[in-house]
Amino acid sequence: MIGVLGAGAFGTALAVALGRAGREVRLWARDAAQVEDMRRTRRNDLALPGVDLPDAVSVHAEIGETTGGEALLLAVPMQALGSLLSSHPEIGEAQPLVACCKGVDLNSLRGPVALIRDRRPGAVAAILTGPSFAADIARGLPTALTLAATDRGAALQDLLSTPTLRLYRTDDIVGAELGGALKNVIAIAAGVVIGSGLGDSARAALMTRGYAEMLRLSAALGARPETLAGLSGLGDLVLTCTSTQSRNFRYGQALGRGEGFDPWVTVEGIATARAVLRLAEGRGIDMPVTAMVDALASGRIALDDAVARLMSRPLKQE
């Protein structure tokens, strides 16, 4: 049995993909009314419209009913992961805990695996990350992800892979965490570029300079550059900077157009930009794209000023 905590789009999509492949999956949703609706309709139209839940997937309102299996997937937003672990002691250490979120915790400045290890020091901790949209996974479209783990990685890779969901393994947890976190920040900036009408050439330049920022910080924190060049870094960056399926990209587009954005939609890159800047400043690392995103998102700078600052940076060797 595989437990999935979090019935948002990504958690539901993983449950669907695994259930379709014949795994028994127990999916937890925090809202009891949502649980009842999903049990009745066998769908999660709130988060993933039009996708039927396979018979192998059951829906639960109690976390204790999802634990004790072969793995527990933590598919909640990054900024909710710490409180989930603190509030639910029934999330034990017997099974591997696999983070399925991207970002840096604002309070501790830790990534998801480090947060799990802090709260559950005896558990096997891993992260599942990479270029993917929930709708694609749920529809059975070919998707490749990175599974970062230092213990039981091969067993988890076999357990969580399906005919359409291929997992590639690494032991560079820091690199996988940072690639997934930082690309969300750059995706917001890419959305700003397109939303404000600066064009695709400007987006390509922005992505390239943003990737350089990702490499600088990741190297300072001990990540391997080849990890950032893989699925969890460059692959995820390309996807989220070029598709309106990305919440972070859509949020950036709205900023660029001067429009509002649905406050109920989770945009991980906003908090990540703030946390990453604190990490970078403590190490003397220059991250102008990240700083621009944080300033725009917090309303400390106008769009025209942000673009002007980036375009007026000193000319230098690439």
Side-chain angles (χ1 to χ4, degrees):
M1 184 272 288
I2 300 170
V4 180
L5 300 188
F10 195 64
T12 303
L14 289 174
V16 167
L18 292 167
R20 195 179 285 142
R23 316 291 202 278
E24 179 193 354
V25 182
R26 298 181 185 178
L27 175 64
W28 170 79
R30 64 180 178 180
D31 187 332
Q34 183 186 10
V35 170
E36 289 304 315
D37 185 66
M38 291 173 66
R39 286 173 174 171
R40 178 178 55 82
T41 65
R42 299 300 298 165
R43 287 187 172 190
N44 184 1
D45 284 330
L46 186 65
L48 202 62
V51 177
D52 293 327
L53 298 178
D55 291 340
V57 177
S58 56
V59 188
H60 301 264
E62 299 295 332
I63 284 182
E65 296 174 348
T66 69
T67 60
E70 296 174 88
L72 188 61
L73 310 187
L74 309 179
V76 298
M78 180 65 222
Q79 302 308 320
L81 179 60
S83 61
L84 176 78
L85 293 168
S86 297
S87 304
H88 293 281
E90 61 268 41
I91 302 174
E93 301 178 343
Q95 74 276 290
L97 302 178
V98 183
C100 301
C101 50
K102 303 171 183 179
V104 177
D105 180 62
L106 267 173
N107 295 320
S108 65
L109 299 186
R110 289 173 170 160
V113 173
L115 204 56
I116 292 171
R117 287 174 171 169
D118 178 64
R119 309 296 171 88
R120 298 292 186 277
V124 171
I127 182 169
L128 186 62
T129 184
S132 58
F133 291 132
D136 292 347
I137 293 174
R139 290 169 59 198
L141 299 178
T143 305
L145 298 176
T146 296
L147 175 71
T150 54
D151 300 295
R152 296 177 60 177
L156 285 169
Q157 182 182 34
D158 290 341
L159 175 68
L160 301 176
S161 293
T162 77
T164 58
L165 184 62
R166 290 184 60 85
L167 270 55
Y168 290 84
R169 194 172 74 250
T170 181
D171 60 1
D172 182 8
I173 289 175
V174 172
E177 285 183 326
L178 288 173
L182 297 171
K183 63 87 188 179
N184 280 335
V185 179
I186 309 306
I188 292 175
V192 170
V193 166
I194 296 302
S196 59
L198 297 179
D200 289 327
S201 297
R203 170 165 52 183
L206 184 283
M207 289 170 62
T208 304
R209 300 315 305 157
Y211 183 60
E213 287 189 18
M214 292 170 62
L215 289 173
R216 281 199 298 273
L217 182 63
S218 298
L221 294 175
R224 298 197 296 264
E226 59 265 28
T227 306
L228 273 294
L231 289 167
S232 59
L234 182 60
D236 213 355
L237 177 71
V238 171
L239 182 71
T240 52
C241 287
T242 58
S243 174
T244 54
Q245 288 193 70
S246 164
R247 296 184 301 259
N248 291 279
F249 180 79
R250 292 201 311 274
Y251 171 75
Q253 268 192 319
L255 280 179
R257 293 169 177 164
E259 299 172 351
F261 193 76
D262 186 350
W264 295 102
V265 175
T266 300
V267 182
E268 294 280 22
I270 298 173
T272 299
R274 198 177 319 145
V276 161
L277 280 180
R278 289 167 59 190
L279 284 172
E281 288 167 359
R283 291 162 175 80
I285 299 171
D286 186 29
M287 301 191 72
V289 176
T290 303
M292 179 198 73
V293 168
D294 180 57
L296 277 174
S298 61
R300 299 195 314 270
I301 191 173
L303 176 64
D304 290 345
D305 292 337
V307 172
R309 288 188 190 184
L310 283 179
M311 295 302 294
S312 63
R313 286 181 59 79
L315 297 173
K316 58 183 180 180
Q317 185 170 336
E318 185 175 20

